[in-house]
Amino acid sequence: MATVTELLQPVEQDLETLLSDLRSLIGAGHPILQAAAEHLFSAGGKRLRPGIVLLISRALSANGELTARHRRLAEITEMIHTASLVHDDVVDEASTRRGVATVHSRFNHRVAVLAGDFLFAQASWHLANLDDLEVVKLLSRVIMDLADGEVKQGLFRYDTGQTFATYLEKSYCKTASLIANSAKAAGVLSNESSEHLDSLYHYGRQLGLAFQVVDDILDFTGSDQQLGKPAASDLASGYLTAPALYALEEQPKLAGLIEREFSGDEDLAQALELVRASRAIPRSRELAETFAREAREALAWLPESPSRRALIELPEFVLGRLY
Amino acid sequence: MATVTELLQPVEQDLETLLSDLRSLIGAGHPILQAAAEHLFSAGGKRLRPGIVLLISRALSANGELTARHRRLAEITEMIHTASLVHDDVVDEASTRRGVATVHSRFNHRVAVLAGDFLFAQASWHLANLDDLEVVKLLSRVIMDLADGEVKQGLFRYDTGQTFATYLEKSYCKTASLIANSAKAAGVLSNESSEHLDSLYHYGRQLGLAFQVVDDILDFTGSDQQLGKPAASDLASGYLTAPALYALEEQPKLAGLIEREFSGDEDLAQALELVRASRAIPRSRELAETFAREAREALAWLPESPSRRALIELPEFVLGRLY
């Protein structure tokens, strides 16, 4: 099983350049933001999102070289992603993310709002200056989906009546939209046919959904240490993900525990037991596997190259986190 | 002297429609945001910014009618303005604005972050769908200027060494950029010549600067009640505006009071006295008058219409708040 560093090897140098460019772009002349930028663009994030844009860009390039506009698109993708994380951490009152202190807990929520706005603003400015209206539309759709997903997530807390479709829509908005639309945008900048653009979008969408379902499974199966946050924290906060929704179908008793917001001492532990005793985890795994397979199949047409191989292996890598 | 309602009379009905559209756009399906939207788009704001876009759009129209795209531009302008106010109030920890409770004090800072992001996201989505790359660039520049201005404002607190140019740049970013660029964007949608576009931009820029200088004067001359916030609150917070910067040129003692951040009991009162005893207020007034005159002159070429008359009178109205 490849590690993420091995997978991203074809664009390793590109990612280094991108992160150092982002640090200086955001920090330049603004001491308050500089510390936040150092924090955001140095800490151990996997940079999967810009990595995917860069891999697709290289895979689509006849000579394997990246254009300045493809690089800029990857930067914009990372800016939007980071901005939305910083603001979501304020909205969700999260104090750590993957074991690292969030901006609002390390600095304060005022710096977090400012840093997020600054990143969104830079992203929208650079986006406009890519001079491609279709790319502007794709990425502005992402910004809208991210805000929409964050609102939706809050709306359906502890709501045991929500449909599985609602969960998938929220996952699309919060995770898959950015990967899908930025993958397609890389294709737009490479003048791909509309058929290829659709398949790039589909690859990103299914990969993003696989990624989210895997994350949601790990919330139930991982330890605090592996997750960098308390295990089952999604469920405890009332966010009902694939495993919880599948378990609700089998274990009617679970609904009561959720609806009273785990107010009893043993409620959360009991809910976890109900989920684990059900077929929820294996079914969630099957769902993630389906999304991963669909992602892989979407790129069958790509010409052979190291970047293509990495893209095709990525869905498998995402599933690999489960084992 | 006309009231603002009289001035905006040519677009009064348009503004009503715009506000009700914005309320339903933002509130739709999101109970958390609905309350915030009601609060934001009902309270007594003057809606000068979309009003200016609508007046320009009508003034440039051969038949005096508005197109759907001009209306949408006015909406986007108000969304961006409101989003930035909501976030600035979090960053500045303001509990009231013009006497009305801010979103983060009425709800909490999480709702304020969410509501602001949602508005920015809607704005960028609708902006992209105006299908005009030049308009996208103009308004994304505004979003960047707003974030930049907020950062700059924080950077120069209590800094008596800052130049007057820094103050004007900050005022441009925070106030004039939106008016200037949205005025120009209305011209772009009306296919105006680049000469006319420049003069629309100049009108908005000088009007915005006049507006900001007048606001800054009122902070020194208004009562708490008139301002809807404590008088001299800018100075007390370390934000040095035109009157303070002019006074610093005449009253060297003022610098010491500011630099020790008014830590002595009588420091703020003494600083106010020094400003009022100087020529700072009359000089600031002259500055505002110059900006207002330049704004008026920029629109000399506009064909006669009720909307033109309102636009020409607006700078005078802005100054009128001083008397």
Side-chain angles (χ1 to χ4, degrees):
Chain A
M1 188 72 209
T3 65
V4 68
T5 315
E6 284 161 10
L7 265 182
L8 293 176
Q9 194 275 323
V11 293
E12 194 188 347
Q13 200 49 56
D14 305 327
L15 277 171
E16 290 275 323
T17 310
L18 178 140
L19 285 178
S20 109
D21 286 355
L22 282 178
R23 274 196 298 273
S24 51
L25 188 69
I26 308 305
H30 302 106
I32 327 162
L33 293 184
Q34 194 158 11
E38 282 298 330
H39 176 65
L40 285 167
F41 297 114
S42 308
K46 289 195 219 65
R47 315 302 167 191
L48 262 186
R49 289 161 185 80
I52 292 168
V53 171
L54 292 165
L55 286 171
I56 289 175
S57 304
R58 283 208 180 273
L60 294 175
S61 157
N63 58 9
E65 292 298 306
L66 287 176
T67 69
R69 296 170 82 209
H70 284 96
R71 282 185 198 278
R72 193 37 68 90
L73 175 66
E75 274 178 28
I76 292 168
T77 303
E78 183 65 4
M79 284 190 241
I80 293 175
H81 173 60
T82 307
S84 102
L85 290 187
V86 172
H87 279 186
D88 286 357
D89 286 338
V90 176
V91 174
D92 303 340
E93 293 183 316
S95 59
T96 61
R97 179 177 286 275
R98 304 198 186 286
V100 178
T102 57
V103 170
H104 81 100
S105 75
R106 177 152 167 195
F107 304 91
N108 59 52
H109 69 260
R110 299 163 59 209
V111 172
V113 172
L114 207 55
D117 282 352
F118 198 80
L119 279 165
F120 271 129
Q122 287 276 344
S124 86
W125 165 245
H126 288 297
L127 183 57
N129 285 279
L130 279 180
D131 267 312
D132 188 305
L133 202 48
E134 194 178 351
V135 173
V136 172
K137 286 187 191 178
L138 290 172
L139 276 288
S140 74
R141 179 79 233 184
V142 170
I143 294 175
M144 187 135 110
D145 286 338
L146 287 167
D148 213 30
E150 184 66 9
V151 171
K152 277 206 182 75
Q153 174 170 295
L155 220 53
F156 289 102
R157 275 177 77 185
Y158 302 108
D159 180 350
T160 58
Q162 71 186 279
T163 62
F164 209 84
T166 304
Y167 159 71
L168 289 179
E169 208 179 306
K170 195 254 351 164
S171 302
Y172 173 76
C173 285
K174 292 208 63 164
T175 310
S177 172
L178 178 65
I179 306 177
N181 285 295
S182 62
K184 183 173 175 181
V188 171
L189 293 180
S190 298
N191 299 309
E192 290 295 322
S193 68
S194 74
E195 202 182 315
H196 284 177
L197 294 182
D198 286 348
S199 74
L200 288 168
Y201 174 88
H202 197 62
Y203 171 78
R205 183 180 186 280
Q206 305 313 89
L207 179 64
L209 291 173
F211 189 84
Q212 188 57 56
V213 174
V214 166
D215 236 30
D216 294 340
I217 295 171
L218 288 173
D219 191 58
F220 284 92
T221 61
S223 67
D224 296 11
Q225 214 168 7
Q226 280 172 310
L227 300 173
K229 62 178 181 182
S233 65
D234 288 343
L235 184 63
S237 308
Y239 301 129
L240 307 187
T241 60
L245 293 172
Y246 282 136
L248 273 167
E249 293 175 11
E250 291 179 40
Q251 313 269 17
K253 215 188 143 209
L254 182 57
L257 300 171
I258 294 170
E259 279 156 19
R260 69 183 190 220
E261 303 190 3
F262 310 113
S263 49
D265 275 355
E266 296 299 312
D267 282 4
L268 186 61
Q270 210 187 331
L272 273 174
E273 229 165 276
L274 287 172
V275 174
R276 285 168 186 158
S278 75
R279 290 200 61 254
I281 301 295
R283 285 179 75 191
S284 301
R285 243 182 229 151
E286 280 162 36
L287 181 68
E289 283 161 10
T290 304
F291 286 140
R293 192 187 61 245
E294 288 167 351
R296 218 164 33 237
E297 288 168 359
L299 291 193
W301 57 275
L302 260 188
E304 180 54 30
S305 73
S307 294
R308 177 198 196 267
R309 281 194 296 281
L311 289 164
I312 296 283
E313 250 186 81
L314 249 174
E316 206 53 52
F317 164 78
V318 166
L319 296 179
R321 295 167 63 217
L322 292 175
Y323 305 104
Chain B
M1 188 73 210
T3 65
V4 68
T5 316
E6 284 161 10
L7 265 181
L8 293 176
Q9 193 275 322
V11 292
E12 194 187 345
Q13 199 50 55
D14 305 326
L15 277 171
E16 290 274 324
T17 310
L18 178 141
L19 285 178
S20 107
D21 286 354
L22 282 178
R23 273 196 299 272
S24 50
L25 189 68
I26 308 304
H30 303 105
I32 328 161
L33 293 184
Q34 194 158 11
E38 282 298 330
H39 177 65
L40 285 167
F41 296 114
S42 308
K46 288 194 219 69
R47 316 298 167 194
L48 262 186
R49 288 160 185 82
I52 292 167
V53 171
L54 292 165
L55 286 171
I56 290 176
S57 304
R58 283 207 180 274
L60 293 175
S61 156
N63 59 9
E65 293 298 307
L66 286 177
T67 69
R69 296 170 82 210
H70 284 95
R71 282 185 197 278
R72 192 37 66 90
L73 175 67
E75 273 177 29
I76 292 168
T77 303
E78 183 65 4
M79 283 190 241
I80 293 175
H81 173 59
T82 307
S84 102
L85 290 187
V86 172
H87 280 186
D88 285 358
D89 285 338
V90 176
V91 174
D92 302 341
E93 295 183 314
S95 59
T96 61
R97 179 176 286 275
R98 303 196 187 287
V100 178
T102 56
V103 171
H104 81 100
S105 75
R106 179 155 164 191
F107 304 91
N108 58 54
H109 69 261
R110 300 164 58 209
V111 172
V113 172
L114 208 55
D117 282 350
F118 198 80
L119 281 164
F120 271 128
Q122 287 275 344
S124 86
W125 165 245
H126 287 296
L127 183 57
N129 285 280
L130 280 180
D131 267 310
D132 188 304
L133 204 47
E134 194 177 350
V135 172
V136 172
K137 286 186 190 179
L138 291 171
L139 276 288
S140 75
R141 179 80 235 182
V142 170
I143 294 175
M144 185 134 111
D145 286 338
L146 287 167
D148 213 31
E150 184 68 9
V151 171
K152 277 207 183 72
Q153 174 169 294
L155 220 54
F156 290 101
R157 276 176 77 186
Y158 301 109
D159 180 351
T160 58
Q162 70 185 280
T163 62
F164 209 84
T166 304
Y167 159 72
L168 289 179
E169 209 178 305
K170 195 250 358 163
S171 303
Y172 172 76
C173 285
K174 292 206 64 162
T175 309
S177 172
L178 177 66
I179 307 177
N181 284 296
S182 62
K184 184 173 174 182
V188 171
L189 293 180
S190 299
N191 300 309
E192 290 294 321
S193 68
S194 74
E195 203 181 315
H196 283 177
L197 294 182
D198 287 349
S199 75
L200 288 168
Y201 174 89
H202 197 63
Y203 171 78
R205 182 180 186 280
Q206 305 313 89
L207 180 65
L209 291 173
F211 189 84
Q212 188 57 55
V213 174
V214 166
D215 236 30
D216 294 340
I217 295 170
L218 288 173
D219 190 58
F220 284 92
T221 61
S223 67
D224 296 11
Q225 212 168 9
Q226 280 173 309
L227 300 173
K229 63 178 181 182
S233 64
D234 288 343
L235 184 62
S237 309
Y239 302 129
L240 307 187
T241 59
L245 293 171
Y246 282 136
L248 274 167
E249 293 174 11
E250 289 178 42
Q251 312 269 17
K253 217 192 141 207
L254 181 57
L257 300 170
I258 294 171
E259 279 154 19
R260 68 182 191 221
E261 304 191 2
F262 310 115
S263 48
D265 275 355
E266 296 298 313
D267 282 5
L268 186 62
Q270 211 187 329
L272 273 174
E273 228 165 275
L274 287 171
V275 174
R276 285 169 184 155
S278 75
R279 290 200 61 253
I281 301 294
R283 284 179 75 192
S284 300
R285 239 180 233 154
E286 280 163 33
L287 181 69
E289 283 161 8
T290 304
F291 286 139
R293 193 187 62 245
E294 289 167 350
R296 217 163 37 236
E297 288 168 1
L299 291 192
W301 56 275
L302 260 188
E304 180 54 29
S305 73
S307 294
R308 177 197 197 269
R309 280 195 295 281
L311 289 164
I312 296 283
E313 249 185 83
L314 249 174
E316 206 52 53
F317 164 79
V318 166
L319 295 178
R321 295 167 61 218
L322 292 174
Y323 305 104

